[in-house]
Structure formats: structure tokens, C-alpha cells
Amino acid sequence: MAHRPEDPLPTGPASTEGVWELSEWDAAVDVTVRRLRAYVEDSQLGGSRVTSRRPPAELAQSLSLQSWIREGGMDAGALDDFLETYLSEGTRLHHPGYLAHQCASPDLPAALGDLIHGVTNNAMSLYEMGAAAATVEMAVIDWMLDKVGWAGRTAGGVLVNGGSLANVTALLAARARAFPEAWNTGVPRRTVLLAPASCHLSITRAAAILGLGSDAVVALPCDPIGRVIPSAIPEVVVAQERQGHTVMAVVANACAPATGLYDDLVSIGRICNPRGLWFHVDAAHGGSALLAPTLKRLLTGIELADSVIWDAHKMLRTSTLAAAVLLKDKTDLDRAFRQEADYLFFDDDRGGPDLMMRTVEGAKAQLGLKLFLNLAWRGEAGLGRYVAGRYATAHRLWELVRSRPDFETPFEPQSNVVCFRHRDAQGDPKQVALRDRLIADGRFHLASSMVGGTRWLRATVMAPATDEQTLHALLEAVGLAARQVRDED
Ligand SMILES: *Cc1c(COP(=O)(O)O)cnc(C)c1O
């Protein structure tokens, strides 16, 4: 009898090694979901330590890692115990006192996206490995292009595993524009990138990875708080060209990682465009301000860019990592990767595009799904309110800091990043010691930045639970820690 597609395939005995036992799945999911629920509830209330930094040898012991690895045998009950320790020995991004690095406090729909990916593993960079996932990714990319101001058929993009890789990918496209043969023959010497010293370290890494060398990153003149001085750019370009150098791209921050300050994109774009200079906007963190009607003016001029990167795993609240590489002209991205692979790309009848042609990655996770679910659930307006709320809370922190004579702050924030320090903790080492004390105390997790040659405490307001009360408690805790480090010697 002919086999019809709707007939199930014949299967072997139920004991086949590795086939999912679905009652085991039910029990394990039940345990995991309960633990995570309690974790989020407790975190949002600020009931536990925000972060823990016990040494790895101690942790390996309390998690019994060696015996689990050697002997196996974990089941739902054992997972429950394991998770109790595991979840308490990390960093709680839902905690109101979480004010450290620019990682999302993930939202609920995106968390489900991670679970769905974990089960289905549609490694969708070949269309035939995940048609729905690839289609979802293309839809969120189109939405992002529209937000940047590039709706229409010429723009294009792709999601990659993080902002650092997104910068490499965008600058690879810039390299292909400047030197179409570079893929085969390498980059000519004397190729430079112009970027503010305040740019993310991945820009310098990209220069090294793309074969320019890290020395090829020429610092653009900046004001004392690290913002590019646009009027100084033409002179730098002329000076580089006089030395026989080709300027491959000009990079701007939107916003800068250490300070959260935005470069003047309109002025920089107006200098780059008529000169044919590739303009790259690193909007990994600050691109999400495009969703807030009151904030999008910070990104005016982004449409003048040739390439933009924008992380979903910062202010769009997906887990780490998911970053968009957006190109005003998508052929630049298609030209960036010029490679044939006859075992992958042999069939013209693919059904849909193979996004692998646009990425450093081979296989890729369903990155678009988690962003899509946040959008579908909260709406663009809901995500915009989240961004505006975190920026406003950061501004409020700055107002409180400024109103107190025992604190100082180097600039008014433009985003959800605030730099400040307590006057009692004199000098950079004391600021570091103060931060360590706060972390040890367990209620607050701050980061730290160099601005204008000095070290500051840096708060990045990410968690929705951070409120006015948190800010007052933070300043009290910083004051106390400052007096303690002052009196230490
Ligand atoms: C976070 C950030 C990056 C790097 O992104 P990852 O996803 O951490 O690799 C690059 N540029 C800027 C401006 C950033 O804020």
C-alpha cells in the first residue's frame, strides 16, 4: 500500500535509547517552572542577594558537579535540589538592585521563546531547517528597518549572536564596499576606521579580526565626556588621506557603553554622506529609544547611516544574545560573504532564503522568535514604555545624586546609564573598593566606568522593579560603603 504523508511513520520499540519519556518531561518542566517562578517573584521583591561571586571551586563542590558529570542519573527531584543552589549563586536581573551591566532583564514572552528553541532546535540559517523561524526573523528585521527609517525594498539585515558579532558583520560589509576583492586577497595596508575612543571594545576587535589590525582604529576628536566632535571629522579624513590611507568607515555611538551618551548622528551623517564615507552607527544599547516617542529624537540622523547594529538582548528584553545587523543597502551585506559551499547550497528550489549567506555563524538559533514574542505580547508601544520608564528612572537617580553635596556626577544622563561617585571615597582604587563592598553587602550590583580619565560608579537601570525607593536606598548604601572604605586605612 502506498504511504500517504499523513500516516505516522512506523516506529520501533518504546525503549529506544534517547527517545523522550514524556512523563519525565512533565515532571522536569513542573519542577523547573516552579523554581523559576519563585526565583522571579523573590528577585522582583528584592528578597535575596542580587549577585553572588563565590569562588568556582566552592561552587563546583556545592553543586556536586564532578559526581553528576561522572555518574549521571539526575531526575526531576534531583534537578529541583540542583536548581535551588544554582539559581541562588548567580546574578538576578529582575532584582531592583540590579544596576550593573547592559544585559536585559528578560521579559516573559522571550523566556518562552528560549524554551521553544531548546525543544525544537530549528537551526534556521538554512531555510529548510526552520521555515517559520526564518520567516519570523525576516519579519522582525523588517520591523527594525522600518524603525530606523529604511522601510522599502533596498534595505536588509540579519540577526546574529550579539552586538560584537554584529559590529564585525557590519564592518565586513563596509570592507566589501571599500575593497570588493578583500575576501580573496585580503585588505590593503593603510586602511583605517575612524571611531571615538569611547566606542565599544568590539570595534577594535572587529578591526583586528577583519585584518586591518587594531592600530587601524584612529580616534576621532571628542569632547571631555567622550562624544564625537563632528566638525573635527573632515580634518581627520583629509589628514588620513594625505598619508595615503583609505578610510573604510566612520563609527558613532548611540549610545556609548561607558556613559550612555549619544553622538550627534545628524551632523556626523551629513559629513559622511557627501564624501562617500561609510557611516556605521553602533546602536546596540540605545537603538531601542526609537520605540519611545519622547526619546527617538536622540537617534535623529540614524537614517543617514550605511549600517546600524541594534541589540534585542539589552533594552528589548530578550535573553543573551540577539542582535540585528541592519544595512541601508542589502546588497552590501550579500557581497560581504562571498563563498560557495556545494554541500549546503546546491538546490535552487529552497523555498525561502538561506540567511547563512549573511552571517559569520553557520547554524543559528531562533533569535527572531524571542524578540517577536516580546513584540507580539507587549506591543511596540509597551516596549517603548519600558524603555522610557528606565531612562526616566535613571534621570531621577541623577537628580537625587546632584541634589546631595556628598555626591558628584560628570554629566546629565541621556539614557538609562548614570555615572556618579561619593566624595568620601577619594581616588579610583577607593571607588573600586566601594563597589566591592556594595556587592558583598548583597543589595546592589553596580558597574564602573572611566570617564574623563577618572573612575566612576556606573548604574544602568534595566530591571522594571527598580523604583524611587530603590534609588534612595542605593544612595544610603553607597554613602555607608564610602565611609567604610574611607576609614579602612
Ligand atoms: C553592548 C554593546 C556592544 C556589544 O554587544 P554584545 O551583545 O555584548 O556583544 C557593542 N556596542 C555597544 C555600544 C554596546 O552597548
Side-chain angles (χ1 to χ4, degrees):
M1 210 173 75
H3 179 77
R4 289 174 300 144
E6 61 269 29
D7 291 339
L9 284 176
T11 54
S15 64
T16 304
E17 183 78 22
V19 168
W20 282 28
E21 186 60 63
L22 290 169
S23 58
E24 187 178 33
W25 164 254
D26 293 341
V29 167
D30 190 49
V31 158
T32 308
V33 167
R34 274 173 212 263
R35 280 282 171 206
L36 289 174
R37 186 188 195 286
Y39 171 83
V40 173
E41 184 172 40
D42 191 35
S43 299
Q44 290 187 155
L45 290 170
S48 300
R49 304 181 59 80
V50 56
T51 189
S52 154
R53 300 195 299 191
R54 281 168 65 198
E58 255 180 53
L59 283 180
Q61 183 127 38
S62 51
L63 291 164
S64 308
L65 299 186
Q66 286 310 318
S67 61
W68 282 123
I69 289 169
R70 278 200 218 98
E71 291 153 34
M74 187 180 276
D75 60 12
L79 175 65
D80 199 19
D81 294 339
F82 176 83
L83 284 178
E84 181 174 15
T85 310
Y86 184 86
L87 294 173
S88 67
E89 296 294 343
T91 301
R92 295 173 180 261
L93 289 102
H94 304 273
H95 192 292
Y98 177 77
L99 294 155
H101 301 283
Q102 295 157 292
C103 298
S105 176
D107 203 356
L108 160 180
L112 297 175
D114 280 319
L115 178 63
I116 294 164
H117 176 67
V119 175
T120 60
N121 194 28
N122 271 213
M124 40 63 73
S125 53
L126 295 177
Y127 192 76
E128 66 183 33
M129 287 303 292
T135 304
V136 166
E137 171 167 329
M138 290 185 285
V140 297
I141 286 286
D142 282 346
W143 170 76
M144 293 172 113
L145 291 168
D146 182 43
K147 291 292 117 192
V148 166
W150 292 342
R153 250 178 294 171
T154 47
V158 71
L159 291 176
V160 301
N161 283 276
S164 300
L165 201 52
N167 276 328
V168 170
T169 308
L171 292 171
L172 182 68
R175 194 185 80 168
R177 168 95 69 87
F179 306 109
E181 294 310 315
W183 185 270
N184 298 110
T185 60
V187 194
R189 290 184 61 197
R190 302 168 171 272
T191 304
V192 295
L193 271 180
L194 309 185
S198 56
C199 70
H200 190 260
L201 63 91
S202 59
I203 298 292
T204 313
R205 283 188 179 180
I209 292 166
L210 295 175
L212 279 67
S214 62
D215 290 348
V217 183
V218 174
L220 283 170
C222 286
D223 68 12
I225 49 175
R227 286 175 302 190
V228 172
I229 302 170
S231 60
I233 296 175
E235 217 172 294
V236 178
V237 172
V238 169
Q240 288 300 324
E241 288 173 351
R242 224 178 262 141
Q243 294 173 66
H245 296 174
T246 304
V247 176
M248 196 184 91
V250 174
V251 178
N253 289 316
C255 48
T259 60
L261 295 173
Y262 286 79
D263 281 326
D264 174 355
L265 304 181
V266 179
S267 301
I268 301 172
R270 284 191 186 144
I271 288 161
C272 293
N273 287 179
R275 291 172 173 78
L277 293 168
W278 183 287
F279 179 28
H280 175 64
V281 175
D282 184 346
H285 182 89
S288 301
L290 287 167
L291 308 186
T294 52
L295 298 173
K296 64 179 191 201
R297 63 183 159 75
L298 292 165
L299 292 144
T300 309
I302 195 171
E303 69 285 355
L304 301 176
D306 295 281
S307 55
V308 169
I309 73 150
W310 178 2
D311 282 357
H313 62 276
K314 287 180 173 168
M315 297 303 285
L316 298 179
R317 308 192 65 195
T318 76
S319 66
T320 308
L321 295 158
V325 185
L326 306 173
L327 279 293
K328 180 185 272 164
D329 182 348
K330 66 177 168 221
T331 56
D332 284 319
L333 190 52
D334 293 327
R335 286 200 196 107
F337 296 92
R338 303 200 323 178
Q339 214 176 7
E340 310 282 329
D342 56 13
Y343 71 101
L344 292 172
F345 314 117
F346 50 85
D347 182 0
D348 287 337
D349 193 14
R350 292 180 194 148
D354 293 335
L355 297 174
M356 191 195 276
M357 304 300 281
R358 294 182 167 182
T359 57
V360 174
E361 295 100 323
K364 196 174 72 175
Q366 300 169 66
L367 306 179
L369 179 64
K370 43 191 183 176
L371 173 53
F372 167 78
L373 289 175
N374 276 351
L375 264 171
W377 212 288
R378 306 294 182 203
E380 183 184 311
L383 289 177
R385 283 193 299 277
Y386 161 77
V387 175
R390 298 308 78 204
Y391 277 39
T393 302
H395 199 269
R396 180 68 186 138
L397 172 59
W398 177 77
E399 286 166 8
L400 293 173
V401 162
R402 201 181 45 152
S403 70
R404 292 180 50 155
D406 47 343
F407 281 88
E408 55 186 328
T409 167
F411 55 82
E412 179 176 359
Q414 286 185 307
S415 65
N416 53 336
V417 178
V418 188
C419 292
F420 62 97
R421 66 184 166 197
H422 197 282
R423 293 184 200 274
D424 283 350
Q426 288 286 330
D428 293 357
K430 292 274 187 199
Q431 293 297 320
V432 175
L434 191 168
R435 188 184 97 97
D436 284 336
R437 265 197 182 267
L438 272 186
I439 289 177
D441 176 53
R443 288 161 65 220
F444 295 100
H445 188 189
L446 292 179
S448 167
S449 277
M450 291 296 282
V451 183
T454 343
R455 190 156 284 290
W456 301 80
L457 298 172
R458 187 188 63 163
T460 305
V461 181
M462 302 296 291
T466 305
D467 63 9
E468 177 86 14
Q469 247 182 308
T470 317
L471 304 182
H472 289 282
L474 169 68
L475 295 189
E476 287 317 306
V478 170
L480 182 63
R483 283 186 289 282
Q484 287 170 337
V485 300
R486 181 195 58 196
D487 297 339
E488 252 165 14
D489 41 39

